[in-house]
Amino acid sequence: MFTERFMKNRRGILLERGERVRLEAAIEDVRTLHPRMTLVRAGEPLHQSLFLIEGIMSRHMDDGNGRRQLVAVHLPGDFVDLHGYPLKRLDHDVGTMTAATVAVVPHSAFDAIVADMPVMARKLWFATMLDAAMHRAWLFRLGRLDAIGRVAHSLSETNARLFSVGLSNGRRFVLGLTQADVAEICGLTHIHVNRVVRTLREQQLCLFRSSLVEILEPQRLAVRGQFDPHYLYLSDATADPSRSERSS
Amino acid sequence: MFTERFMKNRRGILLERGERVRLEAAIEDVRTLHPRMTLVRAGEPLHQSLFLIEGIMSRHMDDGNGRRQLVAVHLPGDFVDLHGYPLKRLDHDVGTMTAATVAVVPHSAFDAIVADMPVMARKLWFATMLDAAMHRAWLFRLGRLDAIGRVAHSLSETNARLFSVGLSNGRRFVLGLTQADVAEICGLTHIHVNRVVRTLREQQLCLFRSSLVEILEPQRLAVRGQFDPHYLYLSDATADPSRSERSS
DNA sequence: CGAACGTTTGAGATGACTCAAGCGTTGTGG
DNA sequence: CCACAACGCTTGAGTCATCTCAAACGTTCG
């Protein structure tokens, strides 16, 4: 089941059986994608949305000088550009960061769902509002945290999100991102990210080597990044990764 | 008509007559509010949303040390916390910046609308996605612009938004905000905002004195702030304030 | 008149940036 | 199988933007 991870462990918004069947039926195509591809460009009219099954994708905005700011990172179980359904055209680009597998859902399928399943429609709306809540957490991160705090916040968030879909054991996870990617997430240069990563290592907070992230002290890391997972609207069972240790 | 400015001049999303009547009928109460009040705190369960008729409101997040980052500024015609309807509890605070008048709409009214007016439901969804688009523009602003660029971007955005609801003539508008408010919007200190304002004045781009903002060269200011109004999804008539000069 | 608030200025500290270069892996073609 | 290119990571030195702390100024309002 492709959408198994969709809205998994989100507070009170589990999809009903019939809703999930409907969503699966709406999938038009499943595609595998190469890393670092741009899939949708800002301004293009959109007639479908992508559900991320595997891999990491991003939404980002370019400035004129080839520098990018990521506005969202998407992990397995995310509807990457569901907001493109009401919006019809995007204000930013969408692309892969790692290799990825996506399910393609045509907007016409959403038209049908909205028309005859108002409860499910509200759940889809909820899913897009969750993305907006993450945008806000990122605004806080960029506006009020220093470099170490930003990276700490970002890693804490990623850990919590991966934990909720079963891809982190609460302390350790595979993240196929480079330090330059983290720089584009945190509004920093990759050189400075490197120094931050060293500091986090020296302070025994967190290790980040090539693609493995190991959070040594989730609680202290969260405090350093002023990370409070409320905005992820997780179910109680997954709200605090640091308390459990899953065999992942 | 209280909601006259709602979705005004947004590309293709004008409310139908019947939809507007329904929205007006959903208003439970109209309240006037003092400046600088907190109305909703993060985490509180929510049973109503506020539509802003007059004044300026904000959504913001506190760090532990009494510093705030605004995540949104709301102007007349905005549904301030419509996203609270699907979300049920907010991840941030909502408050007034200036004195304000708001219409209170209970969530039960939205339940009814979503159930029997799917087209209108999608327009409300669209309205919340517009807020998310603004979040993204703000992320770009904080992540990739320097202090002058951030203020330039912010003022350009405010001008465009006020223009679309008839509260700016394209170059001049009343903005009851202090430089400290702008600092909380732009992730800067109020002292540095003051220096930025001086620079903008010296470069003949823009004047900001007490509550009057006068943009001398909208085009140059937009370039300085890398402001591209696409994300506001304005109708063509209002997309470029710098071209017209209304008698406001 | 005095208090409160917002604005303005200065001096010094500092966090993050730029530029430049070297290092370590990995993958590939001669 | 080695050489080399490509890529990501690491380090250093110097610069600059923004911050902090401190204080003064102007207006408004009670």
Side-chain angles (χ1 to χ4, degrees):
Chain A
M1 210 175 45
F2 298 120
T3 65
E4 188 190 348
R5 292 192 166 107
F6 182 54
M7 290 287 104
K8 190 173 175 183
N9 286 315
R10 300 298 179 161
R11 195 187 296 271
I13 305 288
L14 217 64
L15 288 197
E16 302 287 330
R17 184 183 188 72
E19 292 169 342
R20 190 171 297 282
V21 168
R22 182 74 177 254
L23 183 57
E24 290 277 335
I27 295 172
E28 191 181 60
D29 194 11
V30 171
R31 293 196 198 131
T32 49
L33 305 167
H34 291 286
R36 294 178 197 283
M37 282 179 50
T38 298
L39 298 175
V40 184
R41 286 197 188 280
E44 281 176 9
L46 222 61
H47 303 100
Q48 56 186 35
S49 290
L50 303 175
F51 176 83
L52 182 56
I53 298 169
E54 214 186 304
I56 303 182
M57 293 180 62
S58 70
R59 298 193 273 145
H60 45 86
M61 304 176 82
D62 274 308
D63 72 358
N65 318 314
R67 297 171 81 206
R68 303 196 310 176
Q69 175 62 45
L70 294 217
V71 297
V73 166
H74 288 291
L75 306 175
D78 286 353
F79 236 122
V80 176
D81 55 356
L82 182 54
H83 62 297
Y85 168 60
L87 241 26
K88 289 304 170 210
R89 65 183 62 192
L90 298 187
D91 43 88
H92 58 266
D93 299 338
V94 176
T96 55
M97 302 187 81
T98 66
T101 311
V102 296
V104 180
V105 180
H107 285 176
S108 55
F110 294 127
D111 288 335
I113 288 170
V114 169
D116 52 58
M117 299 178 80
V119 174
M120 182 171 182
R122 237 193 51 176
K123 290 181 184 179
L124 294 176
W125 189 356
F126 180 92
T128 62
M129 294 329 288
L130 216 49
D131 281 330
M134 275 188 264
H135 286 335
R136 290 190 285 274
W138 287 38
L139 282 168
F140 174 75
R141 179 198 291 167
L142 291 178
R144 290 294 164 228
L145 299 183
D146 64 10
I148 296 173
R150 290 184 206 177
V151 174
H153 186 284
S154 174
L155 292 175
S156 296
E157 177 189 281
T158 305
N159 183 44
R161 290 170 65 193
L162 286 175
F163 183 72
S164 78
V165 293
L167 294 173
S168 162
N169 72 354
R171 301 172 170 269
R172 214 171 324 103
F173 53 90
V174 175
L175 186 73
L177 301 186
T178 66
Q179 295 184 358
D181 292 326
V182 174
E184 292 187 329
I185 292 167
C186 294
L188 301 167
T189 60
H190 72 103
I191 294 166
H192 200 62
V193 166
N194 179 268
R195 301 192 222 264
V196 167
V197 166
R198 176 175 50 185
T199 306
L200 290 175
R201 187 183 341 110
E202 286 167 358
Q203 300 185 349
Q204 303 285 341
L205 284 170
C206 171
L207 305 176
F208 183 126
R209 20 178 222 290
S210 58
S211 62
L212 186 71
V213 175
E214 185 166 358
I215 299 180
L216 302 172
E217 300 213 34
Q219 209 50 53
R220 267 178 61 217
L221 190 74
V223 169
R224 185 60 182 83
Q226 299 199 36
F227 173 72
D228 171 356
H230 279 326
Y231 69 92
L232 296 173
Y233 294 79
L234 298 170
S235 66
D236 293 334
T238 52
D240 188 357
S242 67
R243 296 209 185 152
S244 26
E245 170 87 28
R246 290 188 190 169
S247 62
S248 149
Chain B
M1 209 173 50
F2 298 121
T3 66
E4 189 190 347
R5 293 192 165 108
F6 182 55
M7 289 287 106
K8 190 172 176 183
N9 287 313
R10 300 296 179 162
R11 196 187 297 271
I13 305 287
L14 216 65
L15 289 196
E16 302 287 330
R17 181 182 191 71
E19 292 169 341
R20 191 169 298 280
V21 167
R22 182 74 177 253
L23 183 58
E24 290 276 336
I27 296 172
E28 192 182 61
D29 193 9
V30 172
R31 292 196 198 132
T32 49
L33 305 167
H34 290 287
R36 296 180 195 283
M37 281 178 54
T38 299
L39 299 174
V40 185
R41 287 198 187 280
E44 280 176 10
L46 222 62
H47 303 102
Q48 55 186 36
S49 290
L50 303 175
F51 175 82
L52 182 56
I53 299 168
E54 214 186 306
I56 304 182
M57 293 179 63
S58 70
R59 296 193 274 146
H60 45 86
M61 304 176 81
D62 273 309
D63 72 358
N65 318 313
R67 296 169 82 206
R68 304 194 309 175
Q69 175 62 45
L70 294 217
V71 297
V73 165
H74 288 291
L75 306 175
D78 286 353
F79 237 122
V80 175
D81 54 355
L82 182 53
H83 62 297
Y85 168 60
L87 241 27
K88 289 303 171 210
R89 66 183 62 191
L90 297 186
D91 44 88
H92 57 267
D93 300 337
V94 177
T96 55
M97 302 187 80
T98 67
T101 310
V102 297
V104 179
V105 180
H107 286 176
S108 55
F110 294 128
D111 288 336
I113 289 170
V114 169
D116 52 58
M117 299 177 81
V119 174
M120 182 170 180
R122 237 194 50 178
K123 290 181 183 179
L124 294 176
W125 189 356
F126 179 92
T128 62
M129 294 328 290
L130 215 49
D131 281 329
M134 275 187 266
H135 287 335
R136 291 190 285 275
W138 287 37
L139 282 168
F140 174 75
R141 180 197 293 166
L142 290 178
R144 288 297 163 224
L145 299 183
D146 63 9
I148 296 174
R150 290 185 207 176
V151 174
H153 186 284
S154 173
L155 292 175
S156 296
E157 176 187 282
T158 305
N159 184 43
R161 289 170 65 193
L162 286 175
F163 184 72
S164 78
V165 292
L167 293 173
S168 161
N169 71 355
R171 300 172 170 268
R172 214 170 325 104
F173 54 90
V174 175
L175 186 73
L177 302 185
T178 67
Q179 294 183 358
D181 291 327
V182 174
E184 291 187 329
I185 293 167
C186 294
L188 301 168
T189 59
H190 72 103
I191 293 166
H192 200 62
V193 166
N194 180 267
R195 299 191 223 266
V196 167
V197 165
R198 177 175 50 187
T199 306
L200 291 175
R201 188 182 340 111
E202 285 167 358
Q203 299 185 350
Q204 301 287 342
L205 285 171
C206 172
L207 305 176
F208 184 126
R209 20 178 221 293
S210 57
S211 61
L212 185 71
V213 175
E214 185 166 1
I215 299 179
L216 302 171
E217 300 213 35
Q219 207 52 52
R220 269 179 59 218
L221 190 72
V223 169
R224 185 61 182 80
Q226 296 194 231
F227 172 73
D228 171 356
H230 279 325
Y231 69 91
L232 295 173
Y233 294 79
L234 298 169
S235 66
D236 293 334
T238 51
D240 187 357
S242 68
R243 295 208 187 154
S244 29
E245 170 85 27
R246 289 188 189 169
S247 63
S248 151

